[in-house]
Structures are given as structure tokens and as C-alpha cells.
Amino acid sequence: MLKRYLSFVEIQTKITSLFAFAMSLAYLLYLDQPLDIIRTGIFFAAMFLFDLTTTGINNYTDTRTNDQVLQFSRPVAKTIIFVMLAVSTGLGIWLALLTDWVVLGIGGLCFICGVFYTFGPVPISRIPLGEVLSGVFYGLLIPFLLLYINLPVGALLSFGIEDGLVTLQLALLPLFTLGLLCWTPMVCTANIMLANNICDLEKDIKVNRHTLPYYIGKDRAIALYSILYYSVYFVAFLMVILKFLPLCYLLILLTIIPVEQNLRVFRKKQEKALTFITSIKNFIFLMTGQCIALLLCGVLT
């Protein structure tokens, strides 16, 4: 039962949310910011469970049209999805009650995107926005929410409703810094989907699934795939030059050797069974490198 459940929610694919969470914790350590254990714990449980839920919805929906076999009967699978969805939603509402409208609003946005990723008349996974949205929601909004619930009020933004007036104040420099910091998880997450869509291009065309490689062409998609990885190192230099992070952050540059090796493998052949795994490997290399670099920056400065 447990083995089938873990297969149903594809537990091995949860590195995207887990690494984004770990990177955010490393950055909070660098900032010497104490953790709110209760809020952080609730956020982690809601985030992880909802990630499992979206994968369950994805598998439930996809097995209607492909040759894959669902791990449970459809009624049981649907019940599992609804239970996970209800618990993760409840945890999200609890966190919002402990914080404010910002967490509720962004959490609700994540909820909508997750549910309609593969569900509905025009699923997000079937349009050329999948890479962008997956990168933003996993790579940016997870770190933003974790930092928001732990940093002092107004450190990133403040939102208020009083006497019929809505006020929103943005801390532009901290938000810009966060955007640069999150470039690595955003790019790495988006490239996993891009690699998947490149490998599946011919098959997707047959089932009228028009992803980004369909619109820009396979060669341009492969070039974009490489450029996005190289941009991670450019942004790392930029953060050090702008003094957002100390020089030791450039330790992330050590990952360029295995990343380039994997890029060469993928550029030669784009096959799901053989070379798609290189995008996962690059994600692990870059995110591990970023986490270690941030931890060292926190210890050494």
C-alpha cells in the first residue's frame, strides 16, 4: 500500500520543492534570522503535501489518455487526492490565520495553479507557459513565502486593509535580491520541464499538446535550455558584484564542470529514457552547490 502510494505521488520528483525550501533555510541562516518553528513547520507540511496532491492529480488525469496503469482504482485514487487536498488546504488556511492576507493570497494562487496544471479544459502543462509557471511557483514563491513568514514585518512587503483603503508597500531592494537569489531554483525547475517537453515533442504533437518547444522549435529550445543554465553563473557574479552576497558565494561556480558535461550529453541526444535524467542531475548539482555556498557564507561572515 505504501509503495503504491509513493509511486502514485512520485515521491522521487519532490526535489524541486524540497531544494527550494532548503535553499531558503540556508539564506535565512546567512541573514542570521531566527526561525519561527511553528509557522515554518506548518508551511513545510502544507507545501509538501500539496506538491504530492498536484502529482496525484497529474497521474489521475494522464492515465485517462495514455497507456499507463494507475496505482489504485480510480475511486480510491480520487479519495486519496481529495484527502491530501483537504489537509494541505487546511494547513494553508491555518498558516494564513497565523500571518496575514499576503500568505492567503499567494497560497491561493499556488493552489489554483497546482490544481489546473493538468486539470481543466486547457491544462497549464499543455501550453507554452508551463516552464515559466513551474519555475516561478516552485523556484520563487516557495522561498518568498518561507522568508515572508520568518522575516520581520515589512522586510519584503506590507499589505493592509483599513477603513476601506488597501495599502501595499514593496521593499524593492530586498525583493530584487530575493529575485536574483531565486534565479537558480527557477531556472533549474523550468529546465526540467523544458527537457521533458523537448524529449516528448513528437509524441506531444500527435496528441495536440503544444508546449514551448512546439512554438519555438527544437533547436531553439535546446539553445534556450543551455542559456538558462549559463545564466545561473552570470547571476551569481552579479550578486557578488552588487554585494548582495559575499565572495564565497562564487563556490557555486564549481558546479559548472558537471553541469556542462550533462549539457553536452543532452545536446547530442534528446531521449526521455536516456538523457532526460541529465536535467535532474543538473538540478541537484546546482541546488546543492547553492545551498552549500549559502551555508558557508553564513558561517564565514
Side-chain angles (χ1 to χ4, degrees):
M1 180 71 174
L2 178 60
K3 187 176 180 180
R4 282 191 292 161
Y5 171 75
L6 295 178
S7 175
F8 176 57
V9 297
E10 296 181 12
I11 193 69
Q12 72 278 6
T13 67
K14 301 310 147 197
I15 59 172
T16 49
S17 56
L18 292 178
F19 264 113
F21 186 86
M23 183 273 290
S24 307
L25 291 179
Y27 186 58
L28 286 168
L29 175 65
Y30 165 71
L31 295 177
D32 199 25
Q33 175 64 43
L35 280 182
D36 187 313
I37 299 300
I38 294 177
R39 291 181 180 183
T40 300
I42 296 171
F43 172 72
F44 177 81
M47 172 204 76
F48 190 66
L49 192 54
F50 187 68
D51 195 5
L52 299 178
T53 304
T54 56
T55 303
I57 294 172
N58 182 35
N59 285 333
Y60 182 86
T61 304
D62 283 353
T63 50
R64 288 176 173 175
T65 56
N66 58 30
D67 297 329
Q68 291 178 314
V69 178
L70 201 60
Q71 290 82 353
F72 302 95
S73 67
R74 302 201 75 81
V76 171
K78 186 184 293 186
T79 300
I80 292 172
I81 290 170
F82 278 119
V83 169
M84 292 192 299
L85 186 62
V87 175
S88 61
T89 301
L91 289 169
I93 293 173
W94 184 15
L95 182 62
L97 291 173
L98 293 176
T99 51
D100 56 25
W101 289 97
V102 173
V103 173
L104 180 63
I106 295 179
L109 189 62
C110 293
F111 176 90
I112 293 171
C113 183
V115 169
F116 289 100
Y117 179 75
T118 53
F119 183 75
V122 186
I124 293 171
S125 64
R126 291 179 175 266
I127 61 177
L129 294 177
E131 287 83 358
V132 174
L133 292 177
S134 63
V136 169
F137 279 90
Y138 280 98
L140 178 61
L141 293 188
I142 287 176
F144 172 83
L145 285 171
L146 183 55
L147 266 62
Y148 183 81
I149 63 177
N150 280 288
L151 290 173
V153 175
L156 294 174
L157 63 83
S158 58
F159 177 85
I161 302 176
E162 187 175 354
D163 297 330
L165 296 175
V166 176
T167 59
L168 175 64
Q169 292 182 316
L170 305 177
L172 294 181
L173 186 58
L175 285 173
F176 179 63
T177 303
L178 178 61
L180 293 179
L181 181 74
C182 292
W183 186 252
T184 301
M186 283 194 291
V187 162
C188 291
T189 303
N191 262 357
I192 290 177
M193 175 169 283
L194 182 56
N196 180 71
N197 289 336
I198 290 171
C199 293
D200 288 345
L201 180 58
E202 288 76 16
K203 185 174 69 175
D204 286 345
I205 291 174
K206 292 179 182 179
V207 295
N208 294 317
R209 183 175 179 176
H210 298 153
T211 57
L212 183 60
Y214 171 84
Y215 288 98
I216 67 175
K218 191 171 187 179
D219 290 341
R220 288 193 180 94
I222 294 171
L224 175 62
Y225 179 76
S226 300
I227 290 169
L228 286 174
Y229 279 129
Y230 296 142
S231 70
V232 169
Y233 302 106
F234 171 78
V235 170
F237 274 113
L238 186 61
M239 293 194 75
V240 172
I241 291 170
L242 295 176
K243 298 183 178 180
F244 293 161
L245 286 172
L247 189 62
C248 59
Y249 183 67
L250 292 182
L251 285 170
I252 194 175
L253 296 179
L254 296 175
T255 63
I256 197 168
I257 297 174
V259 167
E260 178 61 25
Q261 289 174 340
N262 285 322
L263 274 173
R264 290 175 183 174
V265 170
F266 188 79
R267 283 193 291 252
K268 288 180 180 178
K269 184 177 290 186
Q270 302 82 45
E271 290 188 12
K272 190 70 167 287
L274 297 176
T275 59
F276 168 71
I277 190 65
T278 58
S279 66
I280 306 294
K281 291 179 179 178
N282 278 351
F283 181 97
I284 294 172
F285 281 129
L286 280 166
M287 289 305 301
T288 300
Q290 185 181 36
C291 290
I292 292 173
L294 287 171
L295 287 172
L296 288 175
C297 289
V299 171
L300 299 175
T301 59

